[in-house]
Amino acid sequence: MKVALSKGMAIALFCFGLASTNPTVAQEKKPTVDRKWWKEAVVYQIYPRSFKDTDGDGVGDLKGIIQKLDYIKSLGIDVVWLNPIYGSPNADNGYDISDYQSIMKEFGTMEDFDALLKGMHERGLKLVMDLVVNHSSDEHKWFQESRKSRDNPYRDYYHWWPAEKGKPAFRPGAFEADGSGWRYDKQTDSYYLHYFSYKQPDLNWENPKLRQEIYSMMNWWFQKGIDGFRMDVIPFIAKDTTFPVITQADLDKNYQGRWDIFMASGPHLHDYLKEMNKEVLSKYDVMALAEGAGMTLKSAHDFVDADRKELDMGYHFEGTNLGYIPGYFKKMNPNWSLIDFKKIYSDWDAVYDQKGWGTIYLGNHDQPRMTSRWGNDAPEFRAVSSKMLTTFLLSMKGTPYYYNGDEIGMVNAKFNKIEDYRDIETIAEYEKVKIAGGDLKQFIEDQKTGGARDNGRTPFQWDSSKNGGFSTAEPWLKVNDNHTVLNAAAQEKDPNSVLNYFRRMTKLRKSKPVLVYGKYTLLDKNNPNVYAYTRELDGKKVLVLLNFSAKNAIANTGINLKNAKILIDNYATLSKKATLRPYEALVLELK
């Protein structure tokens, strides 16, 4: 059903000369706010295994990133967040680190890394590394020593429970078919803790020697010249080493019924983060981001308030968790509510309204593709919905994190069989369903639209050639079949492509401080199809209108748009009908 825009909108768009879709925007004066480079940055996440292969082994590498540095710079981004490239046996694609001060052989050498860092800095790009210190690989020398004997000097680098005390109280192990976070080790007749895979034993942060080892390693990387760390599940590092029994009633009473909130509430957590800041972070002009697993609206400020001297930013999971339902792991309800979506992002904006700083993201290496999850990957809507989501990410308050491939509108691979998946999490969940006698066919169907992490990890689609130009060899993970029509090379030639829209949007954000620091105000909050809000700073005001539906829709903002100016829209031409078209996005400057 076509629904007309308000009379004011119709007049504004079509009677007052608002048809410019790619304006030349003068730089505005500096805002009267606490400016930081990491607040103004657009962060681009690169999953190196899937970005570009140069040595023909089917795995992306550092030289591949170096080869594409000019492309990366052309996007208008400021910071690259690089997923783990350290020495690793790859049980969890590099999140199981066996050597923190070496480079995984598949990715290259330390000389390659030095060349990459130099090339980025020469182009004005900053590099943020992925720091994984809740756990290590079971092949790390610390753990290899730790498991040799109970009196080994490295024993207390990990959490051990002697078997003569009985089985330890249950803790979840996310990547295990039996769901247990404890693993029996015969050599010393003990159990060790692992919140994820048994190949990823948890480090014992209660041991000051272990903490100093980590701080020394972090300083080493900063002295090499990196610009920050994204800290993997950093809220989980602190444990109650008595490991008391935790019942569901305990979780319900104290932790909203959730294990992740319990695990993010360990004793001395903030003592450790303050110590990290003192020993490392405060010595450099860098950014420190927490992957905020278990972080809540109530606890967010404990991590990021400047006066606490801990971290700079954290990203929450409430937005990306919207629509996941019980049953098969990360099964998704495709009929999630935009009203709920708006409430989540408005509530999190309010947390940082007076102090602290937030983040905004819709996809990463642990999530399905942004366009499939939050837009519409049908051929007729893929491009326009991808552009709409880009508009959202780059017009909200908070540092935006943008995942590689989303700038060309890559979508879920939607594999048809478990053999096509490589992700440790999906394989473990498949086994859980199998053990429970569940519907395996339905599980595979759920992964096509839901939470399978490999949906976001398929190789980058550079061109229409074999393997999408990613590699001359068979890739470690299948390339999406649609690479023949959806690829960067084709979009470079099209001024109205998803790729070139992303470049326009990053340019607009940089030219308008109001889009970085401006106060956010939600409008028309009960509209089930349109997300509308304003950003306001130093007398400048911008209105953002986003149609999240596949039908025409209206936003009832109550704003007089007589003198408004369109800064950007995601359709090639303005409609002559007074409607927000399917997945249309408009950013208007108000007078």
Side-chain angles (χ1 to χ4, degrees):
M1 180 178 69
K2 295 183 179 179
V3 184
L5 286 173
S6 65
K7 183 179 179 181
M9 172 66 85
I11 293 173
L13 295 186
F14 307 109
C15 297
F16 288 89
L18 305 183
S20 174
T21 62
N22 192 15
T24 300
V25 184
Q27 292 289 325
E28 297 178 3
K29 65 180 181 179
K30 293 182 179 180
T32 54
V33 290
D34 178 25
R35 298 187 65 162
K36 299 287 185 183
W37 65 263
W38 41 266
K39 294 180 180 180
E40 299 177 12
V42 176
V43 182
Y44 181 71
Q45 180 189 354
I46 292 179
Y47 198 66
R49 178 168 291 272
S50 295
F51 197 63
K52 177 63 178 175
D53 172 28
T54 61
D55 60 6
D57 64 356
V59 175
D61 46 50
L62 297 184
K63 287 183 178 178
I65 302 173
I66 293 171
Q67 187 181 104
K68 296 296 183 180
L69 281 178
D70 288 338
Y71 168 83
I72 294 167
K73 176 64 177 177
S74 79
L75 298 176
I77 59 95
D78 308 279
V79 176
V80 170
W81 154 26
L82 197 60
N83 285 96
I85 57 171
Y86 316 96
S88 169
N90 268 318
D92 186 24
N93 284 7
Y95 282 89
D96 51 317
I97 299 171
S98 56
D99 187 345
Y100 285 94
Q101 290 173 230
S102 73
I103 301 298
M104 192 187 308
K105 291 180 180 179
E106 287 179 303
F107 291 156
T109 66
M110 190 60 73
E111 289 72 25
D112 294 332
F113 174 82
D114 291 340
L116 173 64
L117 183 61
K118 182 174 183 289
M120 285 187 176
H121 285 171
E122 287 174 348
R123 291 166 174 81
L125 299 170
K126 295 182 182 293
L127 178 61
V128 168
M129 301 277 282
D130 219 319
L131 183 70
V132 189
V133 288
N134 173 72
H135 50 268
S136 76
S137 167
D138 66 343
E139 297 182 32
H140 194 291
K141 64 181 181 181
W142 298 339
F143 190 74
Q144 293 295 302
E145 288 294 320
S146 181
R147 76 194 315 174
K148 285 182 178 178
S149 67
R150 293 188 179 186
D151 59 0
N152 188 282
Y154 288 91
R155 185 69 168 183
D156 289 339
Y157 276 42
Y158 297 86
H159 296 281
W160 290 94
W161 183 275
E164 63 266 22
K165 291 176 64 175
K167 289 192 70 172
F170 176 80
R171 294 294 183 270
F175 298 166
E176 294 303 307
D178 65 0
S180 174
W182 291 99
R183 183 86 168 188
Y184 178 70
D185 196 57
K186 184 177 180 180
Q187 190 164 341
T188 58
D189 191 31
S190 302
Y191 298 87
Y192 65 86
L193 182 69
H194 58 90
Y195 278 170
F196 297 93
S197 165
Y198 78 92
K199 295 283 291 179
Q200 296 167 289
D202 279 32
L203 291 162
N204 180 13
W205 275 72
E206 284 61 47
N207 181 351
K209 290 183 179 179
L210 179 277
R211 299 201 302 275
Q212 289 303 315
E213 294 259 27
I214 291 172
Y215 303 152
S216 176
M217 174 268 294
M218 293 173 68
N219 275 309
W220 185 84
W221 281 106
F222 281 131
Q223 288 160 14
K224 282 185 76 68
I226 72 165
D227 302 289
F229 281 116
R230 174 267 189 191
M231 302 183 182
D232 186 64
V233 293
I234 199 71
F236 289 1
I237 58 175
K239 276 84 171 176
D240 179 348
T241 55
T242 65
F243 294 106
V245 172
I246 304 295
T247 66
Q248 187 59 50
D250 295 326
L251 293 176
D252 292 343
K253 179 180 179 181
N254 300 310
Y255 305 104
Q256 300 178 31
R258 291 166 44 185
W259 274 110
D260 62 324
I261 296 178
F262 164 76
M263 293 189 291
S265 305
H268 305 299
L269 168 62
H270 294 286
D271 295 331
Y272 302 152
L273 294 180
K274 291 178 191 297
E275 183 180 70
M276 178 192 290
N277 186 289
K278 179 181 178 181
E279 296 284 335
V280 184
L281 300 174
S282 62
K283 299 177 181 180
Y284 312 93
D285 180 20
V286 295
M287 59 176 273
L289 166 74
E291 181 193 26
M295 183 186 291
T296 66
L297 292 163
K298 184 177 180 180
S299 67
H301 279 283
D302 294 339
F303 291 88
V304 302
D305 277 4
D307 55 3
R308 291 179 60 86
K309 293 181 168 47
E310 296 188 25
L311 306 178
D312 298 317
M313 293 174 280
Y315 66 78
H316 63 85
F317 284 73
E318 285 194 48
T320 54
N321 283 344
L322 177 64
Y324 287 139
I325 57 179
Y328 302 124
F329 190 77
K330 288 191 174 180
K331 181 178 179 180
M332 189 190 81
N333 178 359
N335 299 314
W336 53 272
S337 164
L338 180 63
I339 293 173
D340 291 339
F341 184 94
K342 291 189 282 188
K343 184 179 188 306
I344 289 170
Y345 287 99
S346 298
D347 286 349
W348 276 96
D349 178 85
V351 168
Y352 304 117
D353 186 48
Q354 299 300 318
K355 61 178 181 176
W357 191 255
T359 63
I360 191 82
Y361 76 104
L362 289 176
N364 59 32
H365 65 292
D366 284 335
Q367 302 292 333
R369 278 289 172 185
M370 174 181 81
T371 301
S372 295
R373 178 73 173 86
W374 305 110
N376 190 326
D377 60 15
E380 65 270 31
F381 294 127
R382 179 193 59 78
V384 70
S385 69
S386 179
K387 293 176 186 179
M388 183 273 292
L389 295 171
T390 290
T391 312
F392 170 71
L393 285 170
L394 296 179
S395 65
M396 285 287 284
K397 189 176 181 181
T399 300
Y401 287 74
Y402 206 90
Y403 186 55
N404 66 199
D406 284 346
E407 78 272 20
I408 63 171
M410 286 178 62
V411 299
N412 285 1
K414 302 182 180 180
F415 294 140
N416 289 314
K417 55 184 186 295
I418 192 63
E419 290 78 13
D420 288 334
Y421 288 97
R422 299 290 179 267
D423 178 38
I424 187 174
E425 184 178 61
T426 301
I427 293 169
E429 292 305 315
Y430 182 87
E431 289 301 313
K432 288 180 184 179
V433 176
K434 185 176 181 180
I435 290 169
D439 188 337
L440 294 174
K441 182 178 180 181
Q442 185 61 49
F443 175 85
I444 294 297
E445 287 301 308
D446 291 338
Q447 303 317 297
K448 293 180 180 181
T449 54
R453 301 193 298 180
D454 280 344
N455 279 315
R457 298 177 178 185
T458 55
F460 196 103
Q461 295 161 211
W462 291 106
D463 57 43
S464 61
S465 66
K466 185 178 180 180
N467 300 325
F470 163 72
S471 176
T472 58
E474 181 180 351
W476 74 277
L477 182 65
K478 287 176 61 176
V479 178
N480 196 313
D481 291 338
N482 69 6
H483 71 271
T484 56
V485 294
L486 198 172
N487 60 74
Q491 294 192 23
E492 289 281 6
K493 303 171 185 177
D494 179 3
N496 294 315
S497 68
V498 175
L499 173 59
N500 284 313
Y501 184 86
F502 177 77
R503 289 169 172 151
R504 289 169 55 202
M505 196 63 211
T506 57
K507 183 178 181 180
L508 179 64
R509 184 178 178 90
K510 290 177 186 302
S511 71
K512 296 289 182 182
V514 66
L515 293 177
V516 179
Y517 294 108
K519 178 180 176 59
Y520 161 93
T521 302
L522 176 66
L523 306 173
D524 199 12
K525 70 176 183 178
N526 293 320
N527 191 319
N529 298 315
V530 176
Y531 197 160
Y533 50 92
T534 57
R535 304 292 308 283
E536 189 168 5
L537 178 72
D538 293 339
K540 302 289 186 180
K541 191 171 185 178
V542 167
L543 171 66
V544 181
L545 301 175
L546 306 169
N547 184 357
F548 270 74
S549 75
K551 61 184 180 180
N552 294 337
I554 183 171
N556 297 298
T557 65
I559 293 176
N560 185 345
L561 299 176
K562 179 178 179 179
N563 296 314
K565 174 185 177 183
I566 293 181
L567 298 177
I568 198 167
D569 72 274
N570 64 337
Y571 273 75
T573 60
L574 286 176
S575 172
K576 293 183 179 179
K577 297 179 180 178
T579 59
L580 276 177
R581 290 162 287 184
Y583 300 105
E584 186 160 17
L586 289 171
V587 181
L588 303 105
E589 189 171 57
L590 304 178
K591 301 294 185 180

